[in-house]
Amino acid sequence: MTFVNGVVKTPANVACVNMIAGEQTTGGRTTVRPADAALQDVGPPAFSSVYFACQGR
């Protein structure tokens, strides 16, 4: 997943990004391991030119 040229905004007391490393497999953590077509993984998220306005700030 790739986020490009955007703003991630949340209200007060809400986190912007909460990535939890998913289940552990032989390929690594499911949410952050490299792309692998055999596992239907597109790789870890990428953020390019993204502004985070977190917790109402």
Side-chain angles (χ1 to χ4, degrees):
M1 181 182 313
T2 301
F3 297 93
V4 179
N5 296 333
V7 177
V8 175
K9 181 171 175 49
T10 63
N13 301 321
V14 177
C16 280
V17 179
N18 185 12
M19 286 186 221
I20 299 172
E23 82 179 64
Q24 176 70 37
T25 65
T26 56
R29 295 285 184 178
T30 56
T31 53
V32 294
R33 66 181 168 210
D36 186 335
L39 298 173
Q40 298 181 347
D41 288 345
V42 295
F47 300 93
S48 296
S49 187
V50 176
Y51 176 78
F52 291 92
C54 303
Q55 298 181 341
R57 296 181 200 168

